[in-house]
Coordinates of all heavy atoms in Angstrom, one line a residue:
R540 N -1.0 -61.2 17.4 CA -2.2 -60.9 16.8 C -3.3 -62.0 16.9 O -2.9 -63.2 16.6 CB -2.0 -60.5 15.3 CG -3.2 -60.1 14.6 CD -2.8 -59.5 13.2 NE -4.0 -59.3 12.4 CZ -4.5 -60.2 11.6 NH1 -3.8 -61.3 11.4 NH2 -5.5 -59.9 10.9
E541 N -4.5 -61.7 17.2 CA -5.5 -62.7 17.2 C -6.1 -62.9 15.8 O -6.4 -61.9 15.2 CB -6.7 -62.2 18.1 CG -6.4 -62.2 19.6 CD -7.6 -61.7 20.3 OE1 -8.7 -62.0 19.9 OE2 -7.4 -61.0 21.4
H542 N -6.2 -64.1 15.4 CA -6.7 -64.4 14.0 C -8.2 -64.6 14.0 O -8.7 -65.7 13.9 CB -6.0 -65.6 13.4 CG -4.6 -65.2 13.1 ND1 -4.2 -64.6 11.9 CD2 -3.4 -65.4 13.8 CE1 -2.9 -64.3 11.9 NE2 -2.4 -64.8 13.0
R543 N -8.9 -63.5 14.3 CA -10.4 -63.6 14.2 C -10.8 -62.6 13.2 O -10.1 -61.6 13.0 CB -11.0 -63.5 15.5 CG -10.6 -62.2 16.2 CD -11.4 -61.8 17.4 NE -11.0 -60.5 17.7 CZ -11.1 -59.9 18.8 NH1 -11.7 -60.5 19.8 NH2 -10.7 -58.7 19.0
M544 N -12.0 -62.7 12.7 CA -12.5 -61.8 11.7 C -12.8 -60.4 12.3 O -13.5 -60.3 13.3 CB -13.8 -62.3 11.0 CG -13.5 -63.4 10.1 SD -12.3 -63.0 8.8 CE -13.3 -61.8 7.8
T545 N -12.1 -59.4 11.8 CA -12.4 -58.0 12.3 C -12.5 -57.2 11.0 O -11.9 -57.6 10.0 CB -11.4 -57.4 13.2 OG1 -10.2 -57.1 12.4 CG2 -11.0 -58.4 14.3
P546 N -13.0 -56.0 11.0 CA -13.0 -55.2 9.8 C -11.6 -54.8 9.4 O -11.3 -54.4 8.3 CB -13.7 -53.9 10.2 CG -14.4 -54.2 11.5 CD -13.7 -55.3 12.1
F547 N -10.6 -55.1 10.3 CA -9.3 -54.7 10.0 C -8.4 -55.8 9.5 O -7.2 -55.7 9.3 CB -8.6 -54.0 11.2 CG -9.4 -52.8 11.7 CD1 -10.3 -52.9 12.7 CD2 -9.3 -51.6 11.0 CE1 -11.0 -51.9 13.1 CE2 -10.1 -50.5 11.4 CZ -10.9 -50.7 12.4
D548 N -9.1 -57.0 9.3 CA -8.3 -58.2 8.9 C -7.6 -58.0 7.6 O -6.5 -58.5 7.4 CB -9.2 -59.4 8.8 CG -9.1 -60.3 10.0 OD1 -8.6 -59.7 11.0 OD2 -9.5 -61.4 10.0
A549 N -8.2 -57.2 6.6 CA -7.6 -57.0 5.4 C -6.3 -56.2 5.6 O -5.2 -56.6 5.0 CB -8.5 -56.2 4.4
I550 N -6.3 -55.2 6.4 CA -5.1 -54.4 6.6 C -4.1 -55.3 7.4 O -2.9 -55.3 7.0 CB -5.4 -53.2 7.5 CG1 -6.4 -52.3 6.8 CG2 -4.2 -52.4 7.8 CD1 -7.1 -51.3 7.7
G551 N -4.6 -56.1 8.3 CA -3.8 -57.0 9.1 C -3.0 -57.9 8.3 O -1.8 -58.1 8.4
S552 N -3.7 -58.5 7.2 CA -3.0 -59.5 6.4 C -1.9 -58.8 5.6 O -0.9 -59.4 5.3 CB -3.9 -60.4 5.6 OG -4.7 -59.6 4.8
Y553 N -2.2 -57.6 5.1 CA -1.1 -56.8 4.4 C 0.1 -56.6 5.3 O 1.2 -56.8 5.0 CB -1.7 -55.5 4.0 CG -2.2 -55.4 2.6 CD1 -3.5 -55.0 2.3 CD2 -1.4 -55.6 1.5 CE1 -4.0 -54.9 1.0 CE2 -1.8 -55.6 0.2 CZ -3.2 -55.2 0.0 OH -3.6 -55.1 -1.3
L554 N -0.3 -56.1 6.5 CA 0.8 -55.7 7.4 C 1.6 -57.0 7.9 O 2.9 -56.9 8.1 CB 0.3 -55.0 8.7 CG -0.3 -53.6 8.3 CD1 -1.0 -53.0 9.6 CD2 0.7 -52.7 7.7
D555 N 1.0 -58.1 8.0 CA 1.7 -59.3 8.3 C 2.7 -59.7 7.3 O 3.7 -60.3 7.6 CB 0.7 -60.5 8.5 CG 0.0 -60.6 9.8 OD1 0.5 -59.9 10.8 OD2 -1.0 -61.3 10.0
Q556 N 2.4 -59.3 6.0 CA 3.4 -59.7 5.0 C 4.5 -58.7 4.8 O 5.4 -58.8 4.0 CB 2.6 -59.8 3.7 CG 1.7 -61.1 3.6 CD 0.7 -61.0 2.5 OE1 1.0 -60.5 1.4 NE2 -0.5 -61.4 2.8
M557 N 4.3 -57.5 5.5 CA 5.3 -56.5 5.2 C 6.6 -56.8 5.9 O 6.7 -57.5 6.9 CB 4.7 -55.2 5.8 CG 5.0 -54.0 4.9 SD 3.9 -52.7 5.2 CE 2.4 -53.2 4.4
D558 N 7.7 -56.2 5.3 CA 9.0 -56.5 5.7 C 9.4 -55.6 6.9 O 10.3 -54.8 6.9 CB 10.0 -56.2 4.5 CG 11.3 -56.9 4.8 OD1 11.4 -57.6 5.8 OD2 12.2 -56.7 3.9
V559 N 8.6 -55.7 8.0 CA 8.9 -55.0 9.2 C 9.0 -56.0 10.4 O 8.5 -57.1 10.2 CB 7.8 -53.9 9.5 CG1 7.8 -52.8 8.5 CG2 6.4 -54.5 9.7
S560 N 9.6 -55.5 11.5 CA 9.8 -56.5 12.6 C 8.5 -56.7 13.4 O 8.3 -57.7 14.0 CB 10.9 -56.0 13.5 OG 10.6 -54.7 13.9
A561 N 7.7 -55.6 13.5 CA 6.5 -55.7 14.3 C 5.7 -54.5 13.9 O 6.2 -53.5 13.3 CB 6.9 -55.5 15.8
W562 N 4.4 -54.5 14.1 CA 3.6 -53.4 13.7 C 2.4 -53.1 14.7 O 1.9 -54.0 15.4 CB 3.1 -53.5 12.3 CG 2.3 -54.8 12.0 CD1 2.9 -55.9 11.4 CD2 0.9 -55.0 12.2 NE1 1.9 -56.9 11.3 CE2 0.7 -56.4 11.7 CE3 -0.1 -54.3 12.6 CZ2 -0.6 -56.9 11.7 CZ3 -1.4 -54.9 12.7 CH2 -1.6 -56.2 12.2
R563 N 2.0 -51.9 14.7 CA 0.7 -51.5 15.4 C -0.1 -50.6 14.4 O 0.4 -49.7 13.8 CB 1.1 -50.7 16.6 CG 1.7 -51.5 17.7 CD 2.0 -50.7 18.9 NE 2.6 -51.6 20.0 CZ 3.0 -51.2 21.2 NH1 3.0 -49.9 21.5 NH2 3.4 -52.1 22.0
Y564 N -1.4 -51.0 14.3 CA -2.3 -50.2 13.4 C -3.3 -49.5 14.3 O -3.9 -50.1 15.2 CB -2.9 -51.2 12.4 CG -4.0 -50.5 11.7 CD1 -3.7 -49.7 10.6 CD2 -5.4 -50.7 12.0 CE1 -4.7 -49.0 9.9 CE2 -6.4 -50.0 11.3 CZ -6.0 -49.2 10.3 OH -7.0 -48.5 9.6
F565 N -3.6 -48.3 14.0 CA -4.6 -47.5 14.7 C -5.6 -46.9 13.6 O -5.1 -46.3 12.7 CB -4.0 -46.3 15.4 CG -3.0 -46.7 16.5 CD1 -1.7 -46.9 16.2 CD2 -3.4 -46.8 17.8 CE1 -0.8 -47.3 17.1 CE2 -2.5 -47.2 18.8 CZ -1.2 -47.4 18.5
P566 N -6.9 -47.1 13.8 CA -7.8 -46.4 12.9 C -7.7 -44.9 13.0 O -7.7 -44.2 12.0 CB -9.2 -46.9 13.4 CG -8.9 -48.1 14.2 CD -7.5 -48.0 14.8
V567 N -7.6 -44.4 14.3 CA -7.4 -43.0 14.5 C -6.4 -42.8 15.6 O -6.4 -43.6 16.6 CB -8.7 -42.3 15.0 CG1 -8.5 -40.8 15.1 CG2 -9.9 -42.7 14.1
V568 N -5.5 -41.9 15.4 CA -4.4 -41.7 16.4 C -4.1 -40.2 16.4 O -4.4 -39.5 15.5 CB -3.2 -42.6 16.1 CG1 -2.4 -42.0 15.0 CG2 -2.4 -42.9 17.3
G569 N -3.5 -39.7 17.5 CA -3.0 -38.3 17.5 C -2.0 -38.2 16.4 O -2.2 -37.7 15.3
S570 N -0.8 -38.8 16.7 CA 0.3 -38.7 15.8 C 1.0 -40.1 15.8 O 1.4 -40.6 16.9 CB 1.3 -37.6 16.2 OG 2.6 -37.9 15.7
T571 N 1.3 -40.7 14.6 CA 2.0 -42.0 14.6 C 3.4 -41.8 15.1 O 4.0 -42.7 15.7 CB 2.0 -42.6 13.2 OG1 2.7 -41.6 12.3 CG2 0.7 -43.0 12.7
N572 N 4.0 -40.6 15.0 CA 5.3 -40.4 15.5 C 5.3 -40.5 17.0 O 6.2 -41.1 17.6 CB 5.9 -39.0 15.1 CG 6.8 -39.1 13.8 OD1 6.6 -40.0 13.0 ND2 7.8 -38.2 13.7

Side-chain angles (χ1 to χ4, degrees):
R540 181 169 172 265
E541 287 179 35
H542 288 277
R543 57 170 188 199
M544 286 304 291
T545 74
F547 302 101
D548 262 15
I550 300 165
S552 56
Y553 265 120
L554 294 176
D555 275 344
Q556 290 163 40
M557 219 160 279
D558 197 5
V559 293
S560 56
W562 54 264
R563 289 180 176 177
Y564 171 77
F565 299 85
V567 187
V568 78
S570 153
T571 57
N572 264 31

